Amino acid sequence: MTPDSNAPIVQFRNICKTYDGEHLVVKDLNLVIRNGEFLTLLGPSGSGKTTALMMLAGFETPTQGEILLAGRSLDRVPPFKRDIGMVFQNYALFPHMTVAENIAFPLSVRHLSKAEIKERVQRVLDMVKLDALGSRRPAQLSGGQQQRVALARALVFEPRLILMDEPLGALDKKLREHMQIEIKHIHERLGVTVVYVTHDQGEALTMSNRIAVFNDGRILQIDAPNVIYDRPETAFVANFIGENNRLTGTLESVQADFCAVRLQSGERIIAKAIAIPEIGGPVSLCLRPEKVLLATDGDHSAENRLTGKFSEIVYYGDHARLVMELSSGELLTLKQPVNSVLDTYKPGAPVSASFLSNECRALDLMN
């Protein structure tokens, strides 16, 4: 039977957490996690995301509020009775046990028969492509292989929910990107609910069905990755997710869904009015580098145009970032094909950029 993707499996209700009785590390958290989804809790260190995960796992206790799992309160349920799989950054494998014995451990403590344990262990070994390594010990495995063993151990007892706390943080870039896709594919095949904690926004965008962006103990925005990236609701989200040009100015006027902003450089910009102050108040503009065009490219009739001087080119291999300096001293970055800019501009040369109004978002500086 296919699980109802709209049904909640986890509910955080008015959750607060403090360690010292004065400072809240999680503030009035209300969150519904859907059955079968891959939800990433994303935010900087100290934002409350890991504490939220640990309360769900049962390793921390809420100061206030209630957490429900499949409609059942977890208030007095110890971690080992929550039917939750857990994958840690350091893998937490038993060094004296073989791969197969590590994976079998959750089944042994549940007193399953030897025949069923053997069958389940073999099944998950095949799933994580470690079927030939069951007799090895963790020290004989690479970091990526150890990570797969930890994942297999979390999957083997078929929990309703798997929690992952920075599980790829110790891997190198290439292996980390490979494991992102592996975990995503396993989630898609099994349909298990995954709650994943990371501070890596690229990881969150790659793997998630939804992302909850944390800061200062609160969720600032929760939505699909493309919505979080293309339509941030606060200046913090805009700057934390992906690369962003942030220009500051003063709100001059508002008309329907758009507003006019006077930049520090004196130029006037039309932008989407998302979260703005009163007229005359300070405002931040969010503009992705790939949405900005050189004035020599495309349609020069774009609503917004900025002039400045060329500062530098940053080479990324498959593309380059052209950085221009406005008269205010603020920098504007444009994402460009390598061949179009590498030999074209010299430091200090005049350069112009244009962009559409609906690609620029006006956000209150306080958000």
Side-chain angles (χ1 to χ4, degrees):
M1 181 176 177
T2 302
D4 180 359
S5 60
N6 292 317
I9 186 171
V10 174
Q11 298 175 70
F12 287 79
R13 293 180 174 175
N14 304 312
I15 293 293
C16 293
K17 175 65 177 178
T18 179
Y19 291 104
D20 59 8
E22 295 182 9
H23 304 95
L24 290 175
V25 293
V26 174
K27 304 172 182 177
D28 196 26
L29 175 61
N30 288 279
L31 172 64
V32 172
I33 301 172
R34 302 166 185 161
N35 196 12
E37 79 169 324
F38 195 121
L39 174 69
T40 295
L41 311 184
L42 176 68
S45 298
S47 61
K49 61 189 188 300
T50 297
T51 300
L53 191 82
M54 291 300 148
M55 287 190 287
L56 177 54
F59 302 131
E60 296 288 352
T61 302
T63 305
Q64 174 185 310
E66 183 180 41
I67 302 175
L68 305 180
L69 177 62
R72 176 191 179 196
S73 174
L74 294 177
D75 277 356
R76 295 178 176 83
V77 181
F80 65 92
K81 289 189 176 181
R82 295 192 178 195
D83 192 25
I84 294 174
M86 189 86 192
V87 182
F88 298 95
Q89 180 175 350
N90 63 0
Y91 316 131
L93 301 177
F94 299 112
H96 63 286
M97 292 184 180
T98 66
V99 167
E101 289 167 345
N102 265 281
I103 296 172
F105 182 77
L107 304 179
S108 300
V109 299
R110 288 170 172 79
H111 306 296
L112 273 68
S113 69
K114 289 184 178 179
E116 186 170 359
I117 289 175
K118 183 177 180 180
E119 178 186 345
R120 287 201 189 188
V121 169
Q122 188 58 51
R123 189 188 313 152
V124 295
L125 279 171
D126 292 340
M127 185 185 305
V128 298
K129 299 180 174 62
L130 291 176
D131 50 297
L133 304 180
S135 61
R136 293 191 184 182
R137 297 189 188 277
Q140 297 173 296
L141 304 178
S142 69
Q145 289 168 335
Q146 290 183 48
Q147 201 277 339
R148 291 175 193 231
V149 175
L151 178 59
R153 186 178 58 187
L155 291 168
V156 73
F157 64 96
E158 299 175 358
R160 292 173 290 183
L161 178 65
I162 292 181
L163 310 182
M164 298 189 182
D165 184 21
E166 305 269 10
L168 307 182
L171 304 182
D172 62 62
K173 182 177 185 294
K174 186 173 182 179
L175 183 55
R176 186 167 66 247
E177 291 173 350
H178 173 74
M179 289 307 304
Q180 289 170 13
I181 302 301
E182 285 291 326
I183 292 173
K184 183 177 181 179
H185 288 170
I186 289 172
H187 166 257
E188 290 169 349
R189 287 201 303 271
L190 298 182
V192 66
T193 307
V194 175
V195 182
Y196 191 99
V197 163
T198 185
H199 64 273
D200 185 322
Q201 43 90 8
E203 202 163 273
L205 291 170
T206 298
M207 303 175 73
S208 316
N209 298 132
R210 288 195 302 161
I211 299 171
V213 182
F214 276 72
N215 189 43
D216 193 27
R218 303 181 188 276
I219 293 178
L220 299 187
Q221 187 173 351
I222 179 168
D223 219 316
N226 64 306
V227 176
I228 293 282
Y229 182 84
D230 290 329
R231 301 196 291 276
E233 295 175 357
T234 72
F236 178 87
V237 173
N239 287 291
F240 193 76
I241 302 289
E243 293 191 54
N244 177 52
N245 286 301
R246 185 179 185 183
L247 303 174
T248 56
T250 302
L251 185 67
E252 285 197 337
S253 62
V254 180
Q255 185 172 0
D257 295 332
F258 291 86
C259 63
V261 176
R262 184 70 63 180
L263 298 183
Q264 295 178 18
S265 60
E267 293 163 301
R268 187 173 184 266
I269 297 297
I270 305 299
K272 289 275 289 184
I274 305 302
I276 55 176
E278 298 292 328
I279 301 296
V283 69
S284 174
L285 296 181
C286 162
L287 182 62
R288 301 295 186 190
E290 66 271 19
K291 303 299 184 182
V292 189
L293 298 174
L294 285 171
T296 55
D297 295 337
D299 181 9
H300 301 336
S301 64
E303 299 101 318
N304 295 309
R305 194 176 186 120
L306 294 174
T307 58
K309 61 182 179 181
F310 171 72
S311 177
E312 66 175 330
I313 288 176
V314 183
Y315 178 68
Y316 284 85
D318 61 339
H319 71 279
R321 302 296 171 100
L322 186 152
V323 182
M324 60 180 286
E325 182 180 347
L326 307 181
S327 61
S328 61
E330 292 181 299
L331 301 179
L332 184 72
T333 300
L334 297 72
K335 184 177 179 180
Q336 298 291 313
V338 173
N339 293 336
S340 70
V341 295
L342 276 185
D343 300 318
T344 306
Y345 292 95
K346 303 299 179 186
V351 63
S352 296
S354 64
F355 52 93
L356 299 174
S357 298
N358 59 10
E359 302 287 7
C360 185
R361 297 171 71 79
L363 301 165
D364 193 324
L365 286 176
M366 297 303 294
N367 287 308

